[in-house]
Amino acid sequence: MTATRSGLAVSTVVFCAAMWGLWWLPVELIEGTGVSGPRVGIAMNLAVLPVAILWLLLRPGAMSARALVGAVLVGAAVSLYAISVTYTDFLRAVLLFYLAPAWSTIIECVFFGRRWSVKSVFAIGLGFLGIALISRGEISFDGLGAIGDWMALVSGATWSAGTALIFSSRRAGVAGVLVVTALGGIAVSLGISAAMGQAMLSLPQFGSAIAGAPLVYLFAAAYVGILLSGTVWGAFVLPPAVMSYLLSIEIVSGVLSSTLILGERFGVFEMGGAACILGAVFIEVLWSERVSKTAEP
């Protein structure tokens, strides 16, 4: 991996992370069309699927089993995250999702030969300190009974596993992964809806929702498509822990957007938490030892 490609990947993921911090916006807009709960996950993925399929037709390519499973897991993570925002506070969902760096570091150490180092431990600790400051220490296992909290927590774990599989795969293209990610997200959303006993909107009903607010769904398609494409491409280039730490910039973006747009507070605790998270990113990306890509068995 060349330094130029690595630098471009880092810049792309940082941009995507900042924009993921506005994830509540397309979710809120889609909810405004009458689509809510697990159906938000379906709507988001349906919006991006046509663009992904067109891209795949223009850039066809084979996909390994490892990349296929990874893409399904990433799709599951995206849907779980989108659905969680409809059931819990956006900032709480973000914080629980960003236990992902811990999962990613464990995956790298167990499966990719990365050695456990003091720097990695320090980066994880700094990241969790940032989360604790931003949340004012209010995150605890007592609060995980809420379905949105559980979904946000699981989404972080599935994201870490999915990006690890994509990173370690040599036979897959971004377009193919994006299509499978969208289909996987739709399948997971359908499963969650069935498990929760919620009636699904039929395709004609979805069609009516889209026809009633075409600009909303065009915006969702562009928004999710661009961010997923950039993030998935980054997952091919950057190790899982680096991906998770870079994406944790979303916490800062989410806090700022919720403060400036939604009117939520941003004081000393939030500023200190943002500094800790950025410090963890700096340590992980610039100082920690990196693992190299490994060929698939």
Side-chain angles (χ1 to χ4, degrees):
M1 178 172 60
T2 65
T4 300
R5 189 165 187 252
S6 177
L8 179 60
V10 169
S11 299
T12 300
V13 174
V14 166
F15 168 78
C16 290
M19 295 307 295
W20 282 121
L22 295 171
W23 179 247
W24 55 266
L25 178 58
V27 170
E28 190 173 271
L29 289 174
I30 286 178
E31 282 189 294
T33 68
V35 177
S36 61
R39 293 170 292 191
V40 171
I42 298 173
M44 295 287 257
N45 286 289
L46 279 176
V48 75
L49 188 58
V51 178
I53 291 175
L54 178 60
W55 187 5
L56 180 62
L57 292 175
L58 295 174
R59 296 290 299 274
M63 181 181 298
S64 67
R66 180 175 292 183
L68 180 64
V69 174
V72 170
L73 289 175
V74 169
V78 171
S79 283
L80 285 167
Y81 191 30
I83 297 169
S84 73
V85 174
T86 70
Y87 289 117
T88 190
D89 295 337
F90 174 68
L91 185 55
R92 187 174 182 86
V94 171
L95 295 173
L96 288 170
F97 175 86
Y98 280 102
L99 293 175
W103 309 133
S104 294
T105 299
I106 291 171
I107 289 170
E108 284 192 19
C109 291
V110 173
F111 297 104
F112 298 112
R114 175 177 174 176
R115 292 180 296 177
W116 192 265
S117 67
V118 174
K119 291 176 181 177
S120 293
V121 174
F122 184 64
I124 290 175
L126 200 58
F128 277 109
L129 176 59
I131 290 174
L133 287 172
I134 289 175
S135 65
R136 289 171 169 77
E138 294 176 356
I139 292 181
S140 69
F141 285 98
D142 294 336
L144 291 180
I147 189 169
D149 290 347
W150 274 110
M151 287 182 178
L153 181 64
V154 173
S155 69
T158 54
W159 174 271
S160 297
T163 54
L165 289 170
I166 291 173
F167 171 74
S168 62
S169 174
R170 294 183 182 277
R171 293 200 317 260
V174 176
V177 169
L178 196 59
V179 170
V180 176
T181 294
L183 291 174
I186 291 171
V188 168
S189 297
L190 287 170
I192 292 173
S193 181
M196 294 177 65
Q198 291 192 4
M200 291 304 306
L201 286 178
S202 65
L203 285 177
Q205 288 174 307
F206 265 120
S208 297
I210 293 172
L215 292 181
V216 167
Y217 285 88
L218 284 174
F219 172 76
Y223 192 98
V224 181
I226 291 172
L227 296 193
L228 268 182
S229 298
T231 306
V232 167
W233 177 73
F236 278 100
V237 180
L238 302 172
V242 171
M243 282 290 297
S244 292
Y245 278 105
L246 288 176
L247 287 171
S248 67
I249 292 172
E250 177 189 350
I251 297 176
V252 180
S253 176
V255 170
L256 289 174
S257 68
S258 64
T259 300
L260 299 176
I261 300 175
L262 301 179
E264 297 181 1
R265 62 183 177 181
F266 183 76
V268 175
F269 285 96
E270 287 79 11
M271 292 176 64
C276 288
I277 291 167
L278 291 174
V281 171
F282 178 81
I283 291 170
E284 182 64 23
V285 175
L286 298 182
W287 289 353
S288 292
E289 293 181 5
R290 300 269 47 89
V291 296
S292 60
K293 275 180 171 260
T294 54
E296 291 184 69

